Amino acid sequence: AAKLVGDPAVLFVDLREPPEVASSGLVDGAVNVPRGLLEFQADPDSPTHRAELSQGRRLVLYCGSGARSALAAKTLQDMGVENVFHVPGGFTALKTAGARIAV
C-alpha cells in the first residue's frame, strides 16, 4: 500500500479521530474521515457526503492498527462501494513501510 501513495487513481482514507491525526500526521494526500462518520460521508444521498469518496478511485482505508479499517472496508462493500481495501497494521505499518507522511 505504501507504494500507492501519490497514485492519482488511489485515495487513502484515514479513519482515525482528529486528535490521533494531529499527534502523528497522516499519509500524504489522504483524507481524514473519522470512523464514526464514514457511512454518512460515503453515502451520496447524505447531506454530509464527501465527493472524493465516490469518484471511482481505489479507496485504501487505514486506522491506527488495522481493526477499524477492516470493519469499515466491509461496511463500505456492503453499501455497494467497489474497489475498497484496508491496510492491515494501519498507520504504523504504512509509516514503517516508508509511506510519505504529511504533518
Side-chain angles (χ1 to χ4, degrees):
K3 293 178 182 178
L4 296 173
V5 174
D7 183 330
V10 177
L11 177 64
F12 280 81
V13 181
D14 188 321
L15 299 171
R16 297 175 299 155
E17 294 298 316
E20 293 175 274
V21 174
S23 70
S24 61
L26 73 164
V27 170
D28 191 32
V31 296
N32 178 232
V33 179
R35 174 62 192 97
L37 300 176
L38 182 64
E39 289 90 333
F40 302 106
Q41 294 192 350
D43 181 357
D45 295 328
S46 169
T48 61
H49 174 64
R50 291 184 65 168
E52 63 262 46
L53 297 176
S54 61
Q55 294 176 337
R57 295 163 72 186
R58 178 186 300 184
L59 299 180
V60 178
L61 311 179
Y62 70 91
C63 59
S65 64
R68 287 175 282 184
S69 61
L71 295 172
K74 168 83 168 90
T75 298
L76 289 183
Q77 290 167 347
D78 290 348
M79 290 174 62
V81 178
E82 298 178 4
N83 219 6
V84 178
F85 303 87
H86 94 100
V87 178
F91 181 76
T92 303
L94 286 165
K95 192 172 177 181
T96 300
R100 289 189 314 269
I101 306 301
V103 213

